[in-house]
Amino acid sequence: MELLYKSTRSDHAKVTASQAILKGLAEDGGLYLPEKIPTLNCSMEALSKMTYQEVAYEVMKLYLTDFTEEELKQCINSAYDEKFDTKEIVPIRKVNQTYYLELFHGATIAFKDMALSILPHLMTVSAKKNQVKNEIVILTATSGDTGKAALAGFADVEGTKIIVFYPKGGVSPIQEKQMVTQKGKNTYVVGIHGNFDDAQNGVKEIFGNQKLKEQMNQAGFQFSSANSINIGRLVPQIVYYVYSYAKLLAEGEIENGETIHVVVPTGNFGNILAAFFAKEMGVPIARLLCASNENKVLYDFFSTGSYNKNREFILTSSPSMDILISSNLERLIYKIAREDAKANQELMLSLKENGIYTITEEMKTQLKDFYGNYATEEETEKTIQQLYEKTGYVIDTHTAVAAAVYKKYQEETKDQKKTLVVSTASPYKFTRSVMNSIDKKYSNMEDFELVDELSRISHTAVPKAIEEIRNANVVHDRVCNANQMTEMVQEILGI
């Protein structure tokens, strides 16, 4: 049976999965959601015997119903191949009775690879299905990781161009170097004077610019998005939650049907939303722990029921979470509003006009499985240092935020249920912050000296992604103000 997709902001005509992937954002500015969340039709016992690629097919076929078996399997096998440095794709490390789900073994050493390795394949198949003749222009704002993962995924993919905007000075030195050294004749990287929210808002405005859309169409282009607002990003992320539960079962770490908690460091809310979808599909997840850094807008939302972006924007050591507008939260709001598009639209309008919205008490009761908390910069540092000193295991700053929040949860609740901490990036991506947390003596070292020292103390090989940029030349040096993003797109496309 075909599963169709609808917008969170209106009851307009529904679209197929491939159309939703191509559009990225609905015409009314809403996000696409499936009409219903499908239930897994394969037992955990059966899934526990499968490879990552096989589990991916069992999950994704339920969402992408207009893809043939051959098309979907080809997308999956093209994405999850030797680009990953481990056959498992997502290994689970057990450290001190806590399970760390390592999502950073892909080409750019961050969890964004999990979805952005497959999105270009899903998109090119979708374009063929829908007889798209225009060149697809992928337009993306990044807080650090999405940009490089999207650039790597779309580099030299026929029929596409990719333009990435990032906050200049608002990402780690390694993240920036990964982006500005990206090769590919169809890749463009632009630093903006502003923060991630400025970049994200600019991209949304460009998507909503009808005059520009017409200009683009006349010139043979059309926009799509590689941000986590694209349903083609969300669906592949559900896979690793299903796979990780099945893997814990296969390894005898849990009993079949035993519930676990999941802790996710999150800024834009996409990664934890994927865990929520996995839970709704039937994965035995008990609580979803939403971990924020000092930009704790999500913690305040779960505590009060009010989402308020009117606050100081703080640059932290976990820059991928330095976000005040969590775009994917809209999908959850729509669900807890009983899929009332009008009610959701009013809340989103309030956010746009006043920077704040408040959900009803009835909506709040539906968030009982979520727990929100945050970690200060000091707590993040301490978590990295203590885990390394006790176990020798080194985690990045974002994972440390999650680990610190999990510790707070345990102290508050005395809950000892088995827990999966989502490790979203390699410590090599944030070497300066990680090494300074371990010992201040490292503060005077150069970036790549720190890389080699991290390798020595953690007994791990320097990832290929880091070795590649060690001596790479900068090929992208465009910079603009946040209010010049439309003009920059026009200049790049020559329209």
Side-chain angles (χ1 to χ4, degrees), residues 170-342:
V171 300
S172 82
I174 297 283
Q175 284 176 312
E176 182 170 45
K177 190 150 190 197
Q178 279 188 303
M179 286 189 281
V180 298
T181 59
Q182 175 67 49
K183 292 174 183 162
K185 59 183 183 297
N186 65 336
T187 63
Y188 304 89
V189 179
V190 185
I192 69 150
H193 298 303
N195 59 39
F196 169 72
D197 287 328
D198 296 325
Q200 185 166 251
N201 286 337
V203 164
K204 282 183 178 174
E205 277 175 28
I206 293 169
F207 270 109
N209 186 329
Q210 289 306 316
K211 191 181 168 194
L212 180 61
K213 207 174 275 185
E214 285 159 24
Q215 282 181 326
M216 299 253 310
N217 193 37
Q218 285 168 8
F221 297 116
Q222 70 185 64
F223 282 131
S224 190
S225 167
N227 273 77
S228 59
I229 54 175
N230 193 314
I231 200 72
R233 279 275 305 271
L234 185 63
V235 170
Q237 288 181 275
I238 300 165
V239 174
Y240 48 74
Y241 291 107
V242 178
Y243 176 78
S244 56
Y245 187 91
K247 191 157 187 270
L248 288 172
L249 180 62
E251 292 175 356
E253 294 291 342
I254 54 174
E255 300 290 325
N256 199 355
E258 180 181 348
T259 57
I260 62 169
H261 296 318
V262 175
V263 192
V264 189
T266 192
N268 223 5
F269 208 74
N271 203 357
I272 196 165
L273 186 72
F276 171 75
F277 271 56
K279 178 179 166 71
E280 293 286 292
M281 290 181 78
V283 179
I285 294 169
R287 299 204 75 182
L288 299 152
L289 279 59
C290 178
S292 300
N293 64 18
E294 288 182 359
N295 292 295
K296 58 188 182 67
V297 65
L298 286 166
Y299 163 64
D300 292 340
F301 168 71
F302 283 114
S303 304
T304 66
S306 286
Y307 191 97
N308 188 348
K309 77 174 182 74
N310 301 317
R311 61 184 69 205
E312 182 193 356
F313 181 91
I314 302 163
L315 287 174
T316 73
S317 61
S318 46
S320 300
M321 296 158 67
D322 289 348
I323 293 171
L324 295 181
I325 302 174
S326 304
S327 290
N328 270 290
L329 185 62
E330 178 172 347
R331 286 186 166 112
L332 182 66
I333 297 298
Y334 176 74
K335 296 292 287 181
I336 64 173
R338 307 283 185 202
E339 305 199 354
D340 182 337
K342 189 169 181 292

Side-chain angles (χ1 to χ4, degrees), residues 278-462:
K279 178 179 166 71
E280 293 286 292
M281 290 181 78
V283 179
I285 294 169
R287 299 204 75 182
L288 299 152
L289 279 59
C290 178
S292 300
N293 64 18
E294 288 182 359
N295 292 295
K296 58 188 182 67
V297 65
L298 286 166
Y299 163 64
D300 292 340
F301 168 71
F302 283 114
S303 304
T304 66
S306 286
Y307 191 97
N308 188 348
K309 77 174 182 74
N310 301 317
R311 61 184 69 205
E312 182 193 356
F313 181 91
I314 302 163
L315 287 174
T316 73
S317 61
S318 46
S320 300
M321 296 158 67
D322 289 348
I323 293 171
L324 295 181
I325 302 174
S326 304
S327 290
N328 270 290
L329 185 62
E330 178 172 347
R331 286 186 166 112
L332 182 66
I333 297 298
Y334 176 74
K335 296 292 287 181
I336 64 173
R338 307 283 185 202
E339 305 199 354
D340 182 337
K342 189 169 181 292
N344 176 69
Q345 188 174 29
E346 283 168 6
L347 292 171
M348 295 308 128
L349 189 63
S350 176
L351 180 66
K352 187 179 179 183
E353 291 181 350
N354 310 310
I356 185 170
Y357 64 77
T358 302
I359 61 173
T360 65
E361 286 303 315
E362 199 269 335
M363 289 166 78
K364 270 174 85 171
T365 62
Q366 294 179 68
L367 297 174
K368 63 183 187 305
D369 291 338
F370 283 89
Y371 166 88
N373 215 321
Y374 75 103
T376 63
E377 285 290 270
E378 192 183 344
E379 287 165 339
T380 304
E381 272 196 13
K382 204 168 162 187
T383 301
I384 294 170
Q385 182 191 41
Q386 288 178 346
L387 191 64
Y388 170 69
E389 286 176 353
K390 284 178 187 168
T391 68
Y393 187 56
V394 182
I395 55 175
D396 91 295
T397 45
H398 304 74
T399 309
V401 168
V405 164
Y406 175 47
K407 188 181 175 191
K408 288 182 179 184
Y409 174 78
Q410 280 185 305
E411 286 168 357
E412 270 178 41
T413 63
K414 308 294 181 270
D415 185 348
Q416 295 302 310
K417 193 182 287 291
K418 287 167 187 169
T419 298
L420 190 72
V421 172
V422 178
S423 186
T424 52
S426 164
Y428 285 95
K429 202 148 194 171
F430 303 93
T431 42
R432 185 159 299 283
S433 297
V434 168
M435 296 302 280
N436 279 347
S437 299
I438 288 170
D439 196 320
K440 294 289 182 277
K441 71 181 182 187
Y442 296 122
S443 58
N444 295 323
M445 281 190 177
E446 296 294 320
D447 286 326
F448 285 99
E449 279 184 287
L450 288 170
V451 163
D452 295 329
E453 185 64 11
L454 173 56
S455 175
R456 188 186 70 77
I457 68 163
S458 64
H459 308 290
T460 57
V462 176

Side-chain angles (χ1 to χ4, degrees), residues 40 55-63 235 238-239 242 281:
L40 282 169
V55 172
Y57 176 70
E58 290 301 323
V59 174
M60 292 175 72
K61 73 177 185 185
L62 302 174
Y63 287 93
V235 170
I238 300 165
V239 174
V242 178
M281 290 181 78

